[in-house]
Amino acid sequence: MNHPINRRLASAGILTAIATLAMPAHANTFPKDTIRIVVPYPPGGASDVTARILAEKMQGALKVSVIVENRPGANGNIAADAVARSPADGYTLLMANVGPNAISQSIYPKLSYDTVKSFAAVTQTTLVPIVLVTGPGMPARNMQELLAELKANPGKHTYASAGNGSSNHLTGALFASMAGVDALHVPYRGDGPALMDVVSGRVSMMFTTIVAAMPHIKNGRVKALGIATNQRIPALEGVPTIAESGLAGFDSASWGGIVAPAGTPAPIVNVLNKTLVDILNQADVKTRLAELGAVVVASTPDQFATYIRTETEKWGQVAKANKIMAD
């Protein structure tokens, strides 16, 4: 007998089978066209070089053209906004960064996108360690002496940044807040000019990436007193982390990753994730990224989404506590 329950079960089975067949359809047909990776900074920087390394490898793996498009401006927000507004089909990706994809949420009151809700996380590509360096005007030889010097001379010392609201500005503000010290923030137009004034002694100290600081550390122009990330780095084995030097829990890093517009189908995100993770784990890619001072992460979409949310919340608290707003 063709019982109604049996008919319903049969119908449900057919629908399930159809859904099962339909779900991988995106993955089976993607990609068919050119993929764009939009970089929020000019050519030549770490984000740009990383994107070009990935694009070159993706072309071979996915058998389609992968191009890099540089769209600098507004601390990376122009590129992020453009990708957030793009079709959610996996063909337009953003080379995400801590600035536009975490910090901007709190320092731009009229931001046109949401760092968490406007994007589908694909994978965190890299983590770039940050180091605290001091110039010739700072007598401290280690972190303990630095903290003592800053506490003994409130308002006397300065810290440089790449600009108001930049990642090294907020890192400096976090450091001052956790250490309970008073140091004056001096913003510059970019990391280069800021670091040169630390080298010359015009500014007392700066948080900057290891790749930018290393040439000056090697020739003795600046002293590396602390690693901002929560683990020591091989390139500076003798330099302790700031967390282990008296500021437990201190952790700040520059990072990169790939995101797509929100609503990008999960099968497409998974194709991109698998492709990128395979690429990032290749020995030659790790070597090339290490030359930029970057450590490969290669996370899952969920892990990266959680990381972005955590970073957005963390830097939001720092910005609010220090009343930091973008110019």
Side-chain angles (χ1 to χ4, degrees):
M1 176 185 285
N2 192 6
H3 194 279
I5 292 179
N6 292 334
R7 287 201 300 273
R8 286 199 297 273
L9 289 172
S11 297
I14 292 169
L15 290 173
T16 300
I18 292 172
T20 302
L21 290 171
M23 280 299 289
H26 292 297
N28 289 340
T29 60
F30 176 85
K32 298 185 295 183
D33 205 350
T34 298
I35 295 174
R36 285 189 308 146
I37 302 177
V38 181
V39 177
Y41 304 109
S47 291
D48 177 70
V49 175
T50 300
R52 293 181 189 279
I53 291 171
L54 297 177
E56 177 189 350
K57 293 283 189 174
M58 288 171 72
Q59 287 189 149
L62 295 174
K63 310 303 180 187
V64 296
S65 295
V66 182
I67 62 173
V68 174
E69 177 183 329
N70 298 88
R71 297 195 66 172
N75 286 332
N77 297 345
I78 290 175
D81 174 71
V83 173
R85 295 174 183 270
S86 296
D89 55 12
Y91 289 101
T92 303
L93 308 173
L94 177 69
M95 191 71 227
N97 177 270
V98 62
N101 291 93
I103 292 173
S104 287
Q105 187 72 40
S106 300
I107 67 173
Y108 288 90
K110 296 182 179 180
L111 196 67
S112 59
Y113 62 91
D114 186 287
T115 57
V116 175
K117 297 176 183 177
S118 297
F119 302 100
V122 176
T123 187
Q124 183 180 352
T125 53
T126 54
L127 192 73
V128 182
I130 290 175
V131 59
L132 172 60
V133 295
T134 61
M138 180 63 76
R141 295 167 297 177
N142 53 51
M143 186 57 60
Q144 286 76 21
E145 290 184 5
L146 174 64
L147 292 171
E149 171 70 19
L150 293 172
K151 289 178 180 179
N153 297 282
K156 174 185 174 182
H157 292 290
T158 53
Y159 68 96
S161 82
N164 197 38
S166 62
S167 59
N168 37 26
H169 175 197
L170 270 77
T171 301
L174 177 63
F175 173 79
S177 175
M178 290 183 67
V181 298
D182 178 17
L184 178 66
H185 170 231
V186 182
Y188 289 78
R189 292 184 179 274
D191 281 323
L195 188 53
M196 289 312 299
D197 268 10
V198 176
V199 170
S200 70
R202 292 190 183 94
V203 188
S204 306
M205 56 188 178
M206 180 182 180
F207 286 91
T208 188
T209 61
I210 184 173
V211 66
M214 189 57 77
H216 303 293
I217 294 171
K218 286 182 175 179
N219 63 26
R221 291 179 180 174
V222 298
K223 291 175 285 187
L225 297 190
I227 305 301
T229 41
N230 58 15
Q231 291 184 342
R232 293 195 185 198
I233 52 179
L236 292 171
E237 282 187 12
V239 180
T241 67
I242 293 172
E244 68 182 286
S245 301
L247 298 184
F250 189 90
D251 185 19
S252 178
S254 181
W255 50 262
I258 295 289
V259 298
T264 301
I268 290 178
V269 170
N270 291 336
V271 168
L272 291 167
N273 175 266
K274 183 181 185 307
T275 302
L276 286 164
V277 167
D278 287 347
I279 290 169
L280 289 164
N281 283 319
Q282 293 175 15
D284 63 323
V285 172
K286 286 187 174 183
T287 299
R288 291 168 72 184
L289 291 174
E291 292 170 355
L292 299 175
V295 178
V296 167
V297 178
S299 63
T300 67
D302 285 345
Q303 287 170 336
F304 191 29
T306 298
Y307 186 70
I308 291 172
R309 186 165 55 251
T310 300
E311 285 283 279
T312 298
E313 292 171 355
K314 177 176 81 174
W315 294 120
Q317 291 171 2
V318 174
K320 183 178 180 180
N322 293 276
K323 298 182 173 61
I324 296 172
M325 299 298 292
D327 295 329

